[in-house]
Amino acid sequence: MNVIQGLRPEKLRELVLLILIALVLIVFSSVIENYLNARLFNRVSASVALMAVLAIGQTMVVLTRNIDLSVGSIVGFTAYFVGHQLSQYGDMHPMLAIFLAVGVGTLMGGINGILVAYCRIPSIIVTLGTMALYRTLLVEYSDAKTVLTVNLPRWLLDLPSLNLISFDRLHLRVLVVGMIVVVILFQIVLKYTSFGRKLYAIGSNPEAAKMAGFANQRMVLTAFLLCGALAGLTGFMFLARFGNITVVAGIGFELKSVAAVVVGGVNIFGGSGSAFGAFLGAVLIDLLENSLIRWLQISEFWRDALLGLLILISVATDSVIMKRFQLYWARKQARSSPET
Amino acid sequence: MTQALKEMSLELFSGEIHALVGENGAGKSTLIKILTGIHKPDDGEMMFSGNGVQMNSSQEAQALGIAAIYQEPMVFPDLDVAENIFISHRKRGIWVQWEKMYDDAHKILSDLGMILDVRAPASGLTLASQQAVEIAKAISLNVKVLIMDEPTASLSNHEVEQLFKVARKLKQENVAVLFISHRLDEVFEIADRITVLRDGEHISTRSVEEFSREQLIREMVGREVDQFYATRQKKKLGKRVLSVKKLSKEAAFTGIEFDLHQGEVLSFAGLVGSRRTDVGLALFGIQPNDSGVIELDGQKVSIRSPKAAQNLGIAYMTEDRRKLGLAMPLSITSNITLPSLKRYLGRLGLVRTESEKSTAEEFKNRLQIKTPNLAHEVGKLSGGNQQKVMFSKWLNTQPKVFILDEPTRGIDVGAKAEVHNMIRELADQGMAILCISSDLPEVLAMSDRVLVMREGRQMGILDGPQATQESIMSLAMGELQESA
Amino acid sequence: TVAKKGMKADLVLMPKFLGILVFDQANQGAQEAHKELQNPGKLEFLGPTPENSVAGQIEILTTATTQGQDGIMISNNAGDQLAPAAKSARNKGMTVVTWDSPIPSAEGEQLFIAQVDFNETGTVMADMAMNIMGNAGGDFAVLSASPDAANQNAWIAAMKEALKAPKYSSLNLVDVVYGDDQSEKSYNQALALVDKYPNLKLIMAPTTVGIAAAAKAMQDEGLCDQVKTSGLGLPAEMVSYTMNDCAPEFALWSFVDLGYLSYYATYLIATGQMEGIPGETFKAGRMGYYNVEKDPTRAEGLRVLMGPFTVYDKSNVEAASN
Amino acid sequence: MTNVWKYIRSWESFLCLVLILTISVNAVNSDAFLSIDNQVNLFTLSIEKVIIALIMAFIIINAEIDLSVASMMGLAACALGWLVDSGASMPTALAMCLLIGMLGGLFNGFWVTFMNLPSLVVTLAMLIGFRGLARVLVEDRSIRVFPSWFEELGQQPILGPLPLAVIIFFLLLILAVVVLRFTGFGRYVYVIGINKDMARYSGINVTAVKLILFALSGLISALAGILFAARLGSVRGDMGLGFELDIITMVLLGGVSIFGGSGSIYGVILSILIVLYLRNGMSLSNITGHLQTGVIGMLLIFSAMVPNLKNYWESLRASRS
Ligand SMILES: Nc1ncnc2c1ncn2[C@@H]1O[C@H](COP(=O)(O)OP(=O)(O)OP(=O)(O)O)[C@@H](O)[C@H]1O
Ligand SMILES: Nc1ncnc2c1ncn2[C@@H]1O[C@H](COP(=O)(O)OP(=O)(O)OP(=O)(O)O)[C@@H](O)[C@H]1O
Ligand SMILES: [Mg+2]
Ligand SMILES: [Mg+2]
């Protein structure tokens, strides 16, 4: 009981997710031969690196009771834009390339943010619109040409396979480390800074936040800026990993990031959730996808049907456990109700 | 466009407790929202410590040292209690020190006499506890001016006492306290000076000694109102309508047992959080009981949903008008007919708007709802008038058993008297009424019998004459009734 | 028939969707022919978005009919779903020619400009697999575009057919997966194939997006020694992988030529200089003479066969990539 | 008088204005635009989306969302093909498809009501799930087995120039207006959208209303899928892919609040017309692909900005006087 006493809701959520992930690992290792190996870690970590960064950006926005459906287009645009620049100016400094990606992403996020916060248009409408607009921008800008791997500088092509540390076959890639840094950074910001706490407050009760004198509009704008920046960073990672960038780059990432966020226990109506949770959500989904692909008995065509169902079940599990938890709080409250 | 406030003037001195009174819709809340920078005045000026100030946001008000507790509690449900108290502290710095925050919050709350788990998410708090958190938040801000809009509306005596202790302490520390309440006893108890508002206009400001109760009411209402809290005449009870035995719900209440007769008013009294509301919710099927027996007209019934309850002739009027009581963007008419919409359906399930309108018209006249027209948005009415709309909504279902949860919460004296009269009338017509109220004088005046609860347990039932302020309080505080 | 220049025909070239390099190249070819033939009419390059490809193609075809265009060249991505719209276009007197990917049932379509013989594609892929894996053979898998891509499906079917020959008995096709012509999905699918089949020796991707993604995936994971990549690819996209032996061999035809040839055929039919019946011969400018014939790879339908494949390897890929 | 004035300044009249503008520009731009053929075609080409938009309006007014409609459409179409292909008679297959739609909708509704999960999450998962099931049924095939009467029903006009789907749409439209505006059920849909706790406390069976809505959403999506199959004559696993966003755009542009509780079918039908005419006009001017989508996206944002501009302007005027 004492253990649970110290558990705040988001901690519990994270715990539940960890248990679910462990469960997935156990179940699949019993049906797939040679499942639990270094390769699995390498694969999942490398592809989660992108989705987790994006999902954390999405988390910032969702916490404030908004949503950003344009992230897929931002990823696509920045990937193309930076790729295009790099193929023209191959000697560009790597840092500059990253800044460029983050900068372009931030700009696009900023447009979303201004429209949502200052023009007071519901975020779903704004970002549905900019999802189309940014994609159009990409098509117009690219003129239907592809960014080709051959034209990209060497360092970029080597980046996805660059290992920071390796234990035998287990590789800790640079991109993965980058993602881990982002997760930790944002976890700290959300948990321990008053900026982060105010984001929660705004999402939890915008009206009260206004009454309390928070600069709601600026905060929401900031959330979108951060989301854009992280989407830009994802765009850069996308470019590094996939090399060939066409106009379809990043399509569907918006829904994937939303899925990661909700599976990660971030309340879609704002106010609760954590960066670490979003990361775990991304891991869980990727792990499921990866495992289903590797499962010989599952045909290519069954995979999506199962994936949908499994996502649903994991979200439901989380919600059931949270409900239990709330009941527990209520009981505890009942025991310690106002004394004389 | 009606004008909410006309040529209002108000002076507030440090070290005074100033009460603001007036009927529902007099403009008290509006005034406060102007004082704290949420609304902007069309005209006029504001001086603070001798300097003219222009307030454009509540942030600026806070910077000046003005804090307010609004009529409807404004907590952040996802944050825990401690954070709710400290979230808007300007000097909190960039980093959050969780442990220190918990300790401080605990201390502030205990100073207020409130024991709340500071780590619990605020979403589980009762309205009263939310109010407590709001108060804790405001006084922790080290303010120069503290404004409280009906802070006691959902508190019971015990908590009110604690609050007043704090208010007096603040007064000693030279804080100016502006206090709004519809409970005149409280006003006379705590205020140094009183300002009366009526229809958005300033009527008078005088020190409390210069007011008599009658005079105050006259100035508020603009006419004579008599028969306040006249004790209810004991009548012969009708046949038993509702009988409840060993009613229990996990994590809420246990062992509730009572009978309710036709024409009887049974009140539920108790401290805040004594789980009276939960009993009401169980009887209305919103949070059905786990065990126990409910008999209606001698028949055992099982109430698993509000719809079932309604079909059985039970109505429940909630204490949380804003969140649970009314559809704010809808018209008065639509709100009134909502629970009984079935009656207004014609062929093919089409709504007969004409008969809807005439019902609404009837209630408007009967309850004297002040509104430009019946198509008016309920959300734009003042609190008291909203309460009347909610009352109409349930009366219109013509219930056998009417459960009223804090029926006069936030209602002004005049309207309160009307509500009391209405409840009596209903009882006299044979309705069985179960009234949950934290307003002790009201409980004493209204009820035939009083059931006292404490922490989810029934402490006893007091018959009319036995019920006094003292006997109820001692039960509510935990002394079991010997005879029960 | 040798085309008479300067006759007016408003034509539309419709790719599967916009934003893919090869379709742009086809457009180049068509524009070249358009100029060459001095057609006073317009040549529009109109395509849907990848997300909305099927409905978009139908919409564009229907609108073209409404506009009274004289002819349309379609790289069909909608399978037989395009047939009703194509039929009503034909009824309005429009010329409907497909290229790159035909209408499977051939309903509503006058002619299909086949880049290569679809049956031959199967053999070419099987041959490349054989070359790469050697006589010992082994496991290989196909990474296709979407499960609905008619031409890819036809090629895969043709390859399966070809594999039945005793010559290829050592080749073992273990799986067909789909990357939806998206880099990231194809990349992940390629890696998944490697994990799923420990003995995999080759990934065959009959799609330009898929082959490039698969090659990059193998290179990034340092698997090029173990698993090779092959299929249909653009030299410009594949040159580095061919040179470093990740994708030693792949094939393609010229999309510029395909656009060029399609334009000639469509122009001739739309201006009434050719009927589009089996046995007809026409001259397609710089490319020379071509025949209209019954399409042996479909139950119904006529085709003009462009051919041939160019198979690229270290010897010729660099020259072709510029 | 004030009522008239209020109406003139309403969202719907703004949409009307945009619509008239679009039509005039189109008519000037292209001779073909006003032809009956084109008018019917532009409807027919998107008729399935438009039909689903009607029920989506109900769902969004109810403060929920259903992202799985397009996948359900694909699933129903594929199921129809699969059933007929495996020898079921046409009527049986049609009935089965509608049943699948309804059950799928109820499945969504179950998680939303009984498990209390946000509909965005549930239907996002089923967007993947239903599409997956469609794939399971047809795999990489394209199934073309329908009797000719079925295809004719989908492709030939049956009443004047109007094909069946368009007629069904008009019937559903009238039904939707009546139900939402004039019936008790419609009132419940709004009230629950405004505040579902309050609705429950008023004795409204929130669960039932939501279940009905989701079941209807599934059912109508399945119907749309069947019409789609008839129009195209064959089915594949990718049918209707990505339609959900177009559908939601139409509804939101129609002034239905994404937070529920407000909006009308009139607005939705106007926005449908705007989107269709705009797309058609652009297609006729040979603007396709992403540019079309971009223009619609821009329109969505701008139109959402207009009410705010109006408020801003009014407050400016008020502060001056
Ligand atoms: N959101 C609103 N929009 C328009 N008018 C409003 C709004 N809120 C309140 N009013 C009007 O302003 C006037 C003053 O209301 P206010 O809430 O200040 O009254 P109050 O004195 O606080 O009443 P109560 O005691 O019931 O809380 C009333 O006539 C009310 O109808
Ligand atoms: N300790 C608690 N923890 C969580 N929820 C509570 C707690 N106490 C009460 N509630 C909830 O708050 C609502 C009202 O509470 P309750 O019935 O305890 O109050 P009450 O005795 O009616 O007093 P009041 O209405 O004055 O707050 C109910 O819905 C109940 O479930
Ligand atoms: Mg007030
Ligand atoms: Mg209560």
Side-chain angles (χ1 to χ4, degrees), chain D residues 85-101:
Chain D
D85 194 36
S86 7
S89 76
M90 213 47 206
T92 327
L94 288 174
M96 286 293 286
C97 280
L98 293 175
L99 189 70
I100 288 172

Side-chain angles (χ1 to χ4, degrees), chain A residues 333-334, chain B residues 124 126 128 154 272-278 281 319 406 438:
Chain A
Q333 203 85 358
Chain B
T126 59
S154 47
V272 159
S274 52
R275 303 314 191 105
R276 297 160 297 173
T277 296
D278 286 303
L281 293 182
E319 61 181 332
E406 310 285 1
S438 299

Side-chain angles (χ1 to χ4, degrees), chain B residues 82-375:
Chain B
E83 267 212 290
N84 261 290
I85 295 175
F86 287 107
I87 186 87
S88 53
H89 273 212
R90 292 162 48 76
K91 296 192 202 74
R92 191 156 75 137
I94 295 177
W95 301 102
V96 180
Q97 293 160 289
W98 286 92
E99 288 311 317
K100 181 169 182 302
M101 187 173 78
Y102 287 135
D103 291 345
D104 291 354
H106 189 78
K107 187 168 172 304
I108 292 172
L109 282 171
S110 9
D111 283 353
L112 268 172
M114 307 275 178
I115 308 285
L116 283 177
D117 185 339
V118 291
R119 289 165 199 258
S123 57
L125 296 182
T126 59
L127 214 57
S129 307
Q130 290 179 23
Q131 198 74 265
V133 170
E134 288 275 293
I135 294 168
K137 173 157 76 179
I139 63 171
S140 72
L141 279 169
N142 282 329
V143 290
K144 298 207 186 87
V145 178
L146 177 62
I147 303 173
M148 300 191 278
D149 194 351
E150 304 193 33
T152 57
S154 47
L155 299 187
S156 65
N157 281 31
H158 173 67
E159 291 90 9
V160 172
E161 277 313 315
Q162 294 289 342
L163 177 64
F164 283 179
K165 247 187 247 164
V166 175
R168 290 199 184 95
K169 200 168 125 233
L170 290 174
K171 175 175 150 184
Q172 234 109 66
E173 293 161 7
N174 263 338
V175 175
V177 179
L178 185 64
F179 169 80
I180 297 178
S181 174
H182 288 298
R183 297 184 184 169
L184 296 186
D185 297 335
E186 290 175 6
V187 171
F188 280 104
E189 184 187 337
I190 187 89
D192 300 316
R193 291 197 304 153
I194 302 177
T195 290
V196 182
L197 284 188
R198 190 192 327 139
D199 295 334
E201 280 180 90
H202 178 246
I203 301 296
S204 63
T205 302
R206 265 172 278 171
S207 80
V208 68
E209 293 82 23
E210 295 170 47
F211 273 113
S212 72
R213 199 185 163 95
E214 288 66 34
Q215 190 188 2
L216 183 62
I217 292 171
R218 203 179 317 117
E219 289 191 359
M220 281 166 65
V221 184
R223 67 192 144 87
E224 295 286 340
V225 179
D226 45 25
Q227 274 212 324
F228 265 71
Y229 291 150
T231 346
R232 184 163 154 72
Q233 298 297 308
K234 184 80 188 165
K235 282 202 303 115
K236 243 185 75 78
L237 297 178
K239 72 173 178 33
R240 198 172 68 186
V241 185
L242 179 72
S243 160
V244 168
K245 292 195 192 79
K246 291 223 170 79
L247 202 68
S248 301
K249 169 151 184 76
E250 209 204 337
F253 54 84
T254 48
I256 305 295
E257 292 206 15
F258 63 86
D259 289 340
L260 185 62
H261 302 84
Q262 264 186 351
E264 182 185 27
V265 180
L266 171 66
S267 283
F268 273 46
L271 298 185
V272 159
S274 52
R275 303 314 191 105
R276 297 160 297 173
T277 296
D278 286 303
V279 177
L281 293 182
L283 291 175
F284 193 56
I286 283 176
Q287 292 169 10
N289 50 309
D290 311 324
S291 62
V293 179
I294 304 173
E295 278 178 19
L296 205 69
D297 291 332
Q299 300 242 287
K300 218 181 118 182
V301 292
S302 151
I303 306 171
R304 312 310 295 178
S305 74
K307 199 164 179 67
Q310 216 185 309
N311 289 341
L312 290 169
I314 300 174
Y316 168 82
M317 188 174 92
T318 172
E319 61 181 332
D320 195 344
R321 190 171 59 219
R322 199 169 59 134
K323 285 214 209 88
L324 304 171
L326 294 169
M328 292 303 178
L330 286 193
S331 70
I332 296 174
T333 312
S334 311
N335 269 289
I336 291 180
T337 55
L338 188 58
S340 35
L341 197 60
K342 285 255 157 59
R343 292 214 313 265
Y344 298 90
L345 298 186
R347 270 178 308 141
L348 300 171
L350 302 187
V351 179
R352 289 176 307 172
T353 39
E354 282 316 309
S355 81
E356 248 192 315
K357 271 194 201 125
S358 68
T359 304
E361 193 66 47
E362 185 192 317
F363 278 103
K364 181 191 162 190
N365 296 335
R366 186 162 150 206
L367 272 67
Q368 291 167 16
I369 301 170
K370 269 185 237 156
T371 168
N373 58 57
L374 287 168

Side-chain angles (χ1 to χ4, degrees), chain D residues 228-258:
Chain D
F228 202 29
R231 178 156 75 84
L232 300 183
S234 67
V235 300
R236 299 199 318 193
D238 64 348
M239 285 177 84
L241 199 66
F243 280 14
E244 58 279 338
L245 290 182
D246 279 6
I247 294 166
I248 291 168
T249 303
M250 285 178 186
V251 174
L252 295 183
L253 183 60
V256 175
S257 161
I258 188 71

Side-chain angles (χ1 to χ4, degrees), chain B residues 349-350, chain D residues 58 174-187 189:
Chain B
L350 302 187
Chain D
F58 277 73
I174 295 168
L175 195 67
V177 170
V178 170
V179 168
L180 193 58
R181 184 95 171 68
F182 300 108
T183 67
F185 183 77
R187 179 84 56 90
V189 171

Side-chain angles (χ1 to χ4, degrees), chain A residues 5-19:
Chain A
Q5 205 139 31
L7 267 185
R8 301 168 45 79
E10 64 255 32
K11 279 261 176 54
L12 185 79
R13 276 231 161 85
E14 287 156 11
L15 201 70
V16 171
L17 279 167
L18 282 172
I19 294 172

